[in-house]
Amino acid sequence: MKKIALYPGTFDPITNGHFDIIERALNLFDEVIVAVAISEDKKPMFTLQERINMVKESVKNLKNVTVLGFNNLTVELASEHNATVLIRGLRAVSDFEHELQLGYLNNSLDDTIETVYLMPKLQHAFISSSIVRNLLKFNSKTEHLVPKEVQRIIESMKSCTLQ
């Protein structure tokens, strides 16, 4: 039986830390679905379609990765796509409490879906999408924080979108 994992998030934008988690998840599962949440309550800098495109460009050379957008419960999406595992990233202790609560919540909604927590490599542990967004607001460099494909997209958007 094929082991499918769902990696949900806002990915506003996808970072090298996210990409590292995707690569590591591929070592554990047959397929990884990267699910980009609409997350209107977070007021993302990039539109859903822009974020989906950034993720797709970032993972285009990885086998067995699918990217899609969603606006429903994560466990419902996992069930729709036969995913039995949710991937969540942990960078620091500060992430742990929130992620643990989310894991318990998802388990209370569907106890057939497990949550697996992965840590990015140490060199990516400090990276977050919010750090990247803050740097972008100040027109600072981000190429060391995001996949090169994402940096190219951001550069092409800077003149019209990020002002």
Side-chain angles (χ1 to χ4, degrees):
M1 188 168 126
K2 196 165 153 181
K3 267 296 199 198
I4 302 170
L6 182 78
Y7 183 24
T10 306
F11 304 103
D12 186 36
I14 184 171
T15 68
N16 288 335
H18 294 127
F19 186 81
D20 182 47
I21 296 289
I22 295 166
E23 285 186 308
R24 296 173 67 185
L26 281 170
N27 290 326
L28 300 170
F29 303 100
D30 300 313
E31 182 182 342
V32 174
I33 301 168
V34 182
V36 183
I38 288 180
S39 294
E40 289 170 352
D41 55 324
K42 288 187 175 182
K43 296 181 177 41
M45 176 179 274
F46 300 98
T47 69
L48 177 63
Q49 194 57 56
E50 289 167 342
R51 290 180 283 131
I52 289 170
N53 291 343
M54 287 179 191
V55 176
K56 282 184 176 180
E57 278 300 305
S58 299
V59 302
K60 68 183 176 191
N61 295 321
L62 298 178
K63 291 183 178 162
N64 301 321
V65 177
T66 306
V67 181
L68 51 84
F70 77 105
N71 192 29
N72 57 334
L73 290 174
T74 304
V75 292
E76 290 174 355
L77 184 68
S79 184
E80 288 170 16
H81 293 275
N82 300 313
T84 56
V85 174
L86 299 177
I87 300 293
R88 300 299 298 171
L90 290 176
R91 291 176 307 231
V93 174
S94 56
D95 291 341
F96 183 75
E97 187 174 352
H98 171 74
E99 292 298 340
L100 185 67
Q101 288 177 334
L102 201 54
Y104 284 141
L105 171 63
N106 287 329
N107 186 260
S108 77
L109 295 172
D110 186 339
D111 64 2
T112 66
I113 298 174
E114 296 292 339
T115 301
V116 172
Y117 302 95
L118 295 176
M119 299 178 302
K121 291 179 182 159
L122 188 56
Q123 74 231 39
H124 304 304
F126 75 96
I127 304 171
S128 69
S129 293
S130 59
I131 286 173
V132 173
R133 289 191 308 273
N134 284 335
L135 290 171
L136 289 172
K137 286 178 188 173
F138 291 101
N139 207 24
S140 187
K141 70 179 204 167
T142 57
E143 60 270 5
H144 60 299
L145 305 175
V146 297
K148 63 182 181 303
E149 297 86 359
V150 172
Q151 187 63 35
R152 278 196 289 269
I153 292 169
I154 289 171
E155 291 297 326
S156 70
M157 297 170 74
K158 269 187 179 177
S159 61
C160 58
T161 308
L162 301 176
Q163 299 298 322

